[in-house]
Amino acid sequence: MRFENYMILEFPSRSANEAFARSAVSCFAAQLDPTLEELGDIKTAVSEAVTNCIVHAYPSELGTIVLRCRILKDNVLDIVVKDKGVGIGDIEKARKPMFTTGGADRSGMGFTIMESFMTSLEITSKPGKGTTVHMRRRIQRRGG
């Protein structure tokens, strides 16, 4: 699929980088002129995806997170968050609300939140190889 613009970021799985990723995507998405609500939804979904990498993909060590954003035709923001961490053994189980491998302080709502705020969500993973979260959000055109 052809794209109009793109960015790729790579950063370590430090918790401080969750805010960085959210802000970077927000700045990149601004070229589509999203509403504050749309921007909030996008930032929340990215935050959840990156937090999953930090907490679940690399539970006992630092790893690398790759974030790619593209602007596709018809005002679609395409976001990929990828890690090379522990992977997910059962994606369907992991997508269920309240399921978590992160302990009692985790809500288990990350994938549910991503799915509710984005137009589409795809998750691919291989145990021991990592996980890729692919999200898209169509931004409503405003004005003339």
Side-chain angles (χ1 to χ4, degrees), residues 25-26 29 32 37-49 67-70 75-81 95 110-122 133-139:
V25 172
S26 176
L32 292 172
E37 182 179 352
E38 288 170 326
L39 208 49
D41 290 353
I42 292 163
K43 288 165 63 175
T44 299
V46 168
S47 179
E48 292 293 334
L67 170 65
R68 184 196 75 202
C69 296
R70 299 184 302 173
N75 253 28
V76 173
L77 179 65
D78 181 73
I79 303 167
V80 173
V81 178
R95 287 185 79 147
F111 288 136
T112 302
I113 290 168
M114 287 179 242
E115 191 166 38
S116 68
F117 287 163
M118 302 302 279
T119 305
S120 67
L121 172 69
E122 297 172 20
V133 173
H134 189 174
M135 304 178 280
R136 289 187 175 165
R137 174 70 185 248
R138 184 177 312 279
I139 304 298

Side-chain angles (χ1 to χ4, degrees), residues 60-139:
S60 58
E61 64 185 14
L62 282 179
T64 301
I65 300 170
V66 175
L67 170 65
R68 184 196 75 202
C69 296
R70 299 184 302 173
I71 304 295
L72 306 179
K73 66 179 183 171
D74 298 326
N75 253 28
V76 173
L77 179 65
D78 181 73
I79 303 167
V80 173
V81 178
K82 186 174 186 172
D83 66 67
K84 293 182 180 178
V86 300
I88 301 171
D90 185 341
I91 293 173
E92 290 309 310
K93 186 175 182 181
R95 287 185 79 147
K96 291 185 185 208
M98 310 306 283
F99 176 82
T100 184
T101 60
D105 60 331
R106 310 307 309 176
S107 72
M109 296 298 290
F111 288 136
T112 302
I113 290 168
M114 287 179 242
E115 191 166 38
S116 68
F117 287 163
M118 302 302 279
T119 305
S120 67
L121 172 69
E122 297 172 20
I123 304 156
T124 56
S125 188
K126 290 185 180 178
K129 301 287 185 185
T131 300
T132 300
V133 173
H134 189 174
M135 304 178 280
R136 289 187 175 165
R137 174 70 185 248
R138 184 177 312 279
I139 304 298

